[in-house]
Amino acid sequence: MSDPIELDSYKQQIADLYSSRSSRYDKGDWHPRIAHRLIEYAKIAQGQKILDLATGTGMVAIEAAQFVGAEGRVIGIDISMGMLKQARQKAERLGLHNIEFQLADAENIDFPANTFDYIFCSSALIWMSDLLEALRLWNRFLKPDGTLGFHAFADTAFLGGVVTQKILEKYGVSLLLSKPTGTIEKCHALLQQAGFDQIEIEAEPDGNYINLEKAKGMWSGDGSFPVPGQHPHPSLQLTPEQLAQAKVEFNAELEKLQTKQGIWDDSTIFYCFGRKAA
Ligand SMILES: C[S@@+](CC[C@H](N)C(=O)[O-])C[C@H]1O[C@@H](n2cnc3c(N)ncnc32)[C@H](O)[C@@H]1O
């Protein structure tokens, strides 16, 4: 067991959110699929030392541990005790001895410089409070020639967020969501500024049609859940009446998007890799 850690209220909300989802997290097929794809692109090798930041239930960490073998070593860290509990149980069931999970904030960790061959951050970079500083910190822990691999999502991704964003703009509320890493160019620039070279970014269009009722459940404007990179939730500056009206407009906007197949819920992903510049 790791010692408890002190989190600010933004990170405590994220940790609580994921702990509450932790027992169901592995049930969908999307997260396992994209975590596996990140590892596939990475081409890690036996004997390597790997750090998986915001490891969650350990999808990337566990697959990496199976690859690197007994000579390799994997550390997975996360701020959510619930997610880590799932990760530890899975690793134990698989009898993996080359992996450890630690309760820690990915923006407040301290490893010796030049420690890891690979650092991953799967489906989680956007939650960091300061993306550029986080990438710079992680760069330091990579060995020379080591590689960082992470997912970013297109600024068209996640219907509920994109439509919430559009409606709240009219009320003077700007939600960042995937905007900071929402294009290949933005991801490239972030990696470059953080000291990475040999940058490779693979865009994979993804998504599916969902029905109107499900889409209406995706309103993320009421501030009850944390939003990436912004705390407190910017819509908390609106009155309850404004929020209720915004929700009505959100539903109306979704109705306009409806087609015979349903409403397209885009989840275009960027698989981003950068080598620690010499
Ligand atoms: C969408 S889940 C991704 C989990 C896993 N990497 C995967 O691919 O399935 C996001 C995870 O990021 C973690 N997280 C968010 N901010 C973090 C931080 N500052 N440090 C460590 N973990 C963090 C959450 O607790 C959650 O487990």
Side-chain angles (χ1 to χ4, degrees), residues 118-169:
Y118 236 108
I119 297 182
F120 290 104
C121 184
S122 166
S123 284
L125 178 67
I126 203 67
W127 284 115
M128 301 305 135
S129 307
D130 186 330
L131 301 189
L132 184 56
E133 278 312 304
L135 295 177
R136 285 191 174 129
L137 176 71
W138 304 344
N139 182 292
R140 199 173 342 130
F141 305 142
L142 280 170
K143 293 179 183 172
D145 272 351
T147 305
L148 172 73
F150 63 84
H151 294 119
F153 301 98
D155 49 19
T156 50
F158 310 127
L159 176 71
V162 170
V163 178
T164 303
Q165 219 169 25
K166 180 175 173 188
I167 299 301
L168 289 181
E169 284 291 332

Side-chain angles (χ1 to χ4, degrees), residues 11-198:
K11 290 186 180 178
Q12 191 59 55
Q13 269 196 12
I14 301 170
D16 292 346
L17 173 71
Y18 280 101
S19 287
S20 72
R21 291 179 177 173
S22 57
S23 58
R24 303 184 304 277
Y25 187 82
D26 285 7
K27 298 219 163 88
D29 82 327
W30 187 71
H31 277 115
R33 177 159 58 81
I34 67 168
H36 172 67
R37 197 95 182 99
L38 189 69
I39 290 269
E40 254 182 355
Y41 273 122
K43 298 196 176 50
I44 53 177
Q46 286 217 338
Q48 286 188 326
K49 223 171 159 195
I50 299 202
L51 177 63
D52 182 28
L53 297 162
T55 189
T57 60
M59 285 178 197
V60 164
I62 287 172
E63 193 168 342
Q66 289 167 326
F67 260 106
V68 298
E71 302 299 308
R73 177 118 206 99
V74 179
I75 299 175
I77 70 149
D78 204 283
I79 50 174
S80 157
M81 282 299 288
M83 296 294 263
L84 288 178
K85 185 173 166 209
Q86 301 291 327
R88 288 181 178 129
Q89 284 172 353
K90 287 197 288 184
E92 207 176 298
R93 276 200 299 274
L94 289 165
L96 291 171
H97 299 295
N98 60 350
I99 189 166
E100 97 183 72
F101 291 103
Q102 299 177 1
L103 183 69
D105 175 358
E107 294 185 279
N108 192 18
I109 42 175
D110 193 16
F111 292 101
N114 310 325
T115 297
F116 297 99
D117 298 285
Y118 236 108
I119 297 182
F120 290 104
C121 184
S122 166
S123 284
L125 178 67
I126 203 67
W127 284 115
M128 301 305 135
S129 307
D130 186 330
L131 301 189
L132 184 56
E133 278 312 304
L135 295 177
R136 285 191 174 129
L137 176 71
W138 304 344
N139 182 292
R140 199 173 342 130
F141 305 142
L142 280 170
K143 293 179 183 172
D145 272 351
T147 305
L148 172 73
F150 63 84
H151 294 119
F153 301 98
D155 49 19
T156 50
F158 310 127
L159 176 71
V162 170
V163 178
T164 303
Q165 219 169 25
K166 180 175 173 188
I167 299 301
L168 289 181
E169 284 291 332
K170 296 195 224 164
Y171 291 82
V173 171
S174 175
L175 287 190
L176 290 175
L177 301 177
S178 294
K179 277 187 199 164
T181 54
T183 62
I184 291 180
E185 293 71 26
K186 286 181 184 175
C187 294
H188 195 283
L190 268 173
L191 277 165
Q192 206 165 33
Q193 285 170 51
F196 292 89
D197 65 10
Q198 295 194 10

Side-chain angles (χ1 to χ4, degrees), residues 178-237:
S178 294
K179 277 187 199 164
T181 54
T183 62
I184 291 180
E185 293 71 26
K186 286 181 184 175
C187 294
H188 195 283
L190 268 173
L191 277 165
Q192 206 165 33
Q193 285 170 51
F196 292 89
D197 65 10
Q198 295 194 10
I199 296 166
E200 287 180 31
I201 302 177
E202 299 287 339
E204 289 196 2
D206 204 348
N208 60 303
Y209 284 99
I210 61 169
N211 68 39
L212 182 61
E213 278 325 295
K214 183 164 182 198
K216 285 184 177 175
M218 291 173 162
W219 167 244
S220 48
D222 64 8
S224 48
F225 293 111
V227 279
Q230 289 171 293
H231 185 78
H233 194 303
S235 71
L236 292 175
Q237 63 190 263

